[in-house]
Amino acid sequence: MTRHRVPVMIDVECSVHGSLAASARSDAARMVRTLARYAHEPVLHARVRLTRSANPARERPVTAQVNLDVNGRLARAQVAARTVHEAIDLVRDRIRHRLDRLGRRWEARRGGVPHAEAHQWRHGQEPAHRPGCPPRPTR
């Protein structure tokens, strides 16, 4: 996997909801900054949301969400876990997988850049000029 040669420093918008440790916010922000090195394009915006449910009956009460804007392409991951550290680890693995998939080129996964063939329209090309419909007789 290719990494940026230049160190990437991004501001991470981090929100915490529910009763979580004070260090959870800084741990999540550090995790996202570390992951930004694996992006193949610059990360323009990063948001992390950590939530602990107040419901004691939930088996996995902590939810972690990460949203990244990677040069206009969005990468998002969400997980639920028993602890905040487990949630951060799981979401880190998921978002790293998403960044890996974003890094692969669309054309490479599908066999190359599509070429225009006869009677085929592609975005960026001027549409064919067709005559309008013939007038209908009125009743």
Side-chain angles (χ1 to χ4, degrees):
M1 182 180 305
T2 306
R3 295 184 188 183
H4 285 298
R5 303 275 185 236
V6 180
V8 179
M9 284 302 292
I10 58 170
D11 291 330
V12 179
E13 179 186 332
C14 192
S15 61
V16 176
H17 304 278
S19 60
L20 290 171
S23 64
R25 182 183 307 236
S26 61
D27 291 346
R30 188 178 320 108
M31 177 265 305
V32 170
R33 283 190 198 98
T34 302
L35 281 175
R37 295 181 309 167
Y38 293 98
H40 291 72
E41 297 284 330
V43 176
L44 304 177
H45 181 72
R47 184 177 71 196
V48 179
R49 174 185 247 172
L50 300 172
T51 307
R52 177 181 283 283
S53 174
N55 184 355
R58 288 190 65 182
E59 185 177 329
R60 295 179 289 176
V62 179
T63 304
Q65 293 178 351
V66 175
N67 296 298
L68 300 177
D69 180 353
V70 182
N71 203 22
R73 297 177 75 186
L74 302 179
R76 180 180 188 280
Q78 177 176 328
V79 297
R82 290 184 173 90
T83 67
V84 69
H85 296 294
E86 181 184 0
I88 290 172
D89 288 344
L90 290 172
V91 79
R92 179 194 63 224
D93 294 341
R94 288 231 180 126
I95 202 70
R96 186 169 175 187
H97 177 71
R98 300 282 194 281
L99 289 173
D100 182 43
R101 289 184 62 193
L102 276 179
R104 293 187 215 138
R105 295 179 52 94
W106 182 88
E107 295 86 5
R109 288 196 320 232
R110 289 169 177 80
V113 177
H115 297 287
E117 297 173 6
H119 307 292
Q120 189 176 21
W121 179 80
R122 295 278 182 195
H123 291 283
Q125 293 180 346
E126 187 175 336
H129 296 283
R130 295 188 175 91
C133 296
R136 291 184 171 193
T138 56
R139 291 187 182 179

